[in-house]
């Protein structure tokens, strides 16, 4: 990875951290306890409960990604960003651009 690519990647990580934080905030808002008053009907309350479950799993997923992104930022400080944690090979820049938080090359990711 060239210095320029590294900078580009750090920018991507930064952007993704910011946008993921916004999404997490929104999802926290959406997963607040559902009020049991009668202002919403029984059916829409069931809808609300269903949506809440979906949003809760989305929230868990986003929080995980956020953690991975934060860790990627740490790794970049240690100069380890873009290196496969399993085989030590350099991870292709194209893959890192899509998943900057990935810690494995394609070969190792596909291996159990
Ligand atoms: Zn590997």
């Amino acid at each position: 990875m060239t210095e320029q690519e590294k900078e580009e990647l750090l920018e991507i990580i930064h952007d993704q951290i910011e946008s993921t934080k916004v999404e997490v905030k929104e999802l926290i808002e959406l997963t607040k306890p559902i009020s049991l008053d009668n202002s919403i009907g029984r059916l829409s309350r069931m809808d609300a409960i269903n949506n809440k479950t979906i949003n809760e799993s989305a929230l868990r997923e986003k929080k995980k990604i956020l953690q991975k992104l934060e860790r990627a930022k740490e790794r970049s400080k240690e100069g380890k960003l873009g290196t496969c944690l399993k085989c030590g090979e350099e991870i292709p820049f194209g893959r890192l651009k899509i998943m900057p938080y990935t810690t494995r090359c394609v070969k190792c990711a596909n291996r159990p």
Side-chain angles (χ1 to χ4, degrees):
M1 194 166 31
T2 66
E3 279 303 309
Q4 205 189 335
E5 284 173 339
K6 211 171 148 186
E7 249 169 62
E8 199 182 327
L9 197 59
L10 268 175
E11 232 167 82
I12 294 171
I13 290 173
H14 202 261
D15 283 353
Q16 287 200 0
I17 286 177
E18 289 311 308
S19 61
T20 309
K21 271 184 185 165
V22 173
E23 284 174 305
V24 164
K25 222 189 238 174
E26 282 170 0
L27 285 167
I28 287 172
E29 208 54 46
L30 289 171
T31 50
K32 277 187 176 162
I34 298 158
S35 85
L36 289 171
D37 65 32
N38 288 319
S39 61
I40 55 171
R42 199 174 73 89
L43 278 178
S44 46
R45 192 180 301 141
M46 274 162 68
D47 265 352
I49 291 167
N50 277 335
N51 287 338
K52 191 170 178 279
T53 311
I54 293 165
N55 288 327
E56 274 166 353
S57 72
L59 179 61
R60 271 196 301 271
E61 207 47 46
K62 289 286 166 200
K63 277 183 172 168
K64 254 188 245 167
I65 289 174
L66 193 59
Q67 270 181 353
K68 285 182 184 174
L69 286 165
E70 296 281 2
R71 243 181 278 155
K73 218 166 87 179
E74 288 302 307
R75 274 200 309 276
S76 80
K77 281 182 202 154
E78 297 162 6
K80 288 178 195 158
L81 188 65
T83 310
C84 175
L85 284 183
K86 223 172 171 193
C87 69
E89 296 271 335
E90 206 170 287
I91 301 167
F93 186 58
R95 175 169 167 81
L96 287 168
K97 258 171 106 169
I98 306 164
M99 288 191 293
Y101 48 80
T102 190
T103 54
R104 281 179 191 186
C105 67
V106 186
K107 250 191 282 165
C108 293
N110 289 331
R111 242 179 261 157

